[in-house]
Amino acid sequence: MKLRLGPLQPDRLFRKILPRGLFGRSLLIVLIPMVVLQAVALQIFYGSHLDELSRRLADAVGGEIGFMIDQIERDPAHRTLVLQEGEKHFNFESSFLNGETLEHLPPPDAPGPVDNDLANALAQDVHRPFNVSWHKTPGILRVNIQMADGVIRIDVPRKRLFIGTFYIFLVWLIGSALLLVVLAALFLRTQVRGIRRLAEAAENFGMGRDNGPIRPEGASEVRRAGAAFNRMQERLLRFLTQRTTMLAGVSHDLRTPLTRLRLALAMQPG
């Protein structure tokens, strides 16, 4: 016997994923547009502005290193002078390791596209084997370039390739999101509390427990619903009191004729 699976119902699955309570659904209505908006803003900033700025900074560093290597290749006798001029004008710390060869380094672990941008810029401007050490020294990235008789080591400040505004923007984005979530949660909690108290009061009154009028709170619609419930409860209690009084009066009015009939029957001769 083959089992036939029914068609998938995305709406039913979606309802199972969604929160059941009013507080969770209301908070979700606030959070989803905010998260989508901030994600789009972060993607636009990170994907366009930061990418373009990172590429320009990497091109500048790669061009400066390429200029130094070209000057050294043009006149190897002035290699020391070129390295000193690079330290003076480009804020590099350079040294030459005679007879050394490039060592194998692990793949770079730099945030963002800056590692690929720098590698592309060096490949375009240097035209020699090289590698980049990103975590050898804090605050410094080391570029090693293979020359014919050794290795030129150039230490580049990391601030030449990274900008602090991105991190400020990221902190502002996360901080504002958390602040909005807290404010929305506090506000929605007040609204849901008024509806929850109204539901509890209606259930208690339906079971015969009179806890008195509720205090309206929350939005104007919720306050109107609470005030309407208090008026309804007052009218029902007045109706029950009047009915009890009426039944007590009818019982009293019927008790006197019945007593007379019972007395008359008792006095009949047997």
Side-chain angles (χ1 to χ4, degrees):
M1 181 177 64
K2 295 183 179 180
L3 295 177
R4 298 182 61 183
L5 298 178
L8 296 178
Q9 297 182 356
D11 54 343
R12 183 175 299 178
L13 180 62
F14 190 67
R15 286 197 299 267
K16 289 183 178 180
I17 298 176
L18 288 177
R20 295 284 185 178
L22 178 62
F23 177 77
R25 294 192 175 188
S26 302
L27 192 60
L28 200 62
I29 292 174
V30 175
L31 289 181
I32 288 179
M34 181 186 65
V35 171
V36 171
L37 178 62
Q38 293 193 345
V40 171
L42 184 60
Q43 178 62 30
I44 292 176
F45 180 81
Y46 185 82
S48 60
H49 176 73
L50 182 64
D51 191 18
E52 180 67 22
L53 189 58
S54 174
R55 184 166 55 252
R56 291 183 181 182
L57 292 175
D59 289 343
V61 173
E64 293 167 358
I65 294 177
F67 174 77
M68 294 172 59
I69 299 301
D70 289 342
Q71 294 298 318
I72 293 173
E73 289 181 341
R74 186 174 293 110
D75 189 1
H78 292 83
R79 178 171 53 207
T80 303
L81 179 61
V82 172
L83 296 180
Q84 292 176 353
E85 290 296 325
E87 295 179 4
K88 177 180 178 181
H89 296 287
F90 303 144
N91 198 22
F92 296 157
E93 292 184 5
S94 307
S95 60
F96 177 73
L97 305 178
N98 190 18
E100 295 288 336
T101 57
L102 290 178
E103 60 180 358
H104 177 72
L105 296 178
D109 186 17
V114 64
D115 52 347
N116 294 326
D117 292 339
L118 182 60
N120 295 332
L122 291 174
Q124 182 179 357
D125 295 327
V126 174
H127 306 293
R128 280 188 170 273
F130 67 90
N131 59 28
V132 181
S133 175
W134 288 86
H135 304 289
K136 193 72 173 180
T137 306
I140 297 293
L141 63 92
R142 178 166 293 173
V143 180
N144 302 306
I145 303 172
Q146 183 68 60
M147 305 298 290
D149 54 347
V151 173
I152 293 181
R153 175 179 296 171
I154 302 176
D155 291 340
V156 181
R158 294 176 68 92
K159 63 182 180 180
R160 291 288 308 274
L161 295 169
F162 293 92
I163 56 174
T165 55
F166 171 73
Y167 301 101
I168 296 175
F169 175 78
L170 191 62
V171 170
W172 175 82
L173 202 65
I174 297 176
S176 62
L178 293 177
L179 180 61
L180 290 176
V181 168
V182 172
L183 293 178
L186 293 176
F187 179 76
L188 291 174
R189 183 181 178 184
T190 303
Q191 309 305 315
V192 173
R193 183 172 55 192
I195 299 176
R196 186 183 297 115
R197 286 184 178 180
L198 179 60
E200 292 175 355
E203 184 177 1
N204 291 331
F205 184 71
M207 298 177 65
R209 294 192 294 266
D210 182 15
N211 296 327
I214 62 174
R215 182 172 64 88
E217 60 179 348
S220 59
E221 292 80 3
V222 181
R223 291 176 180 269
R224 290 176 57 186
F229 175 81
N230 288 334
R231 291 194 297 269
M232 180 194 69
Q233 184 179 16
E234 182 182 357
R235 287 194 295 265
L236 288 176
L237 290 176
R238 190 184 308 119
F239 169 75
L240 293 176
T241 302
Q242 292 175 356
R243 189 187 66 171
T244 302
T245 303
M246 182 188 67
L247 292 177
V250 170
S251 176
H252 180 269
D253 293 340
L254 291 177
R255 192 178 297 119
T256 300
L258 292 176
T259 303
R260 290 178 180 177
L261 291 174
R262 190 180 296 113
L263 180 60
L265 291 174
M267 293 179 63
Q268 290 292 329

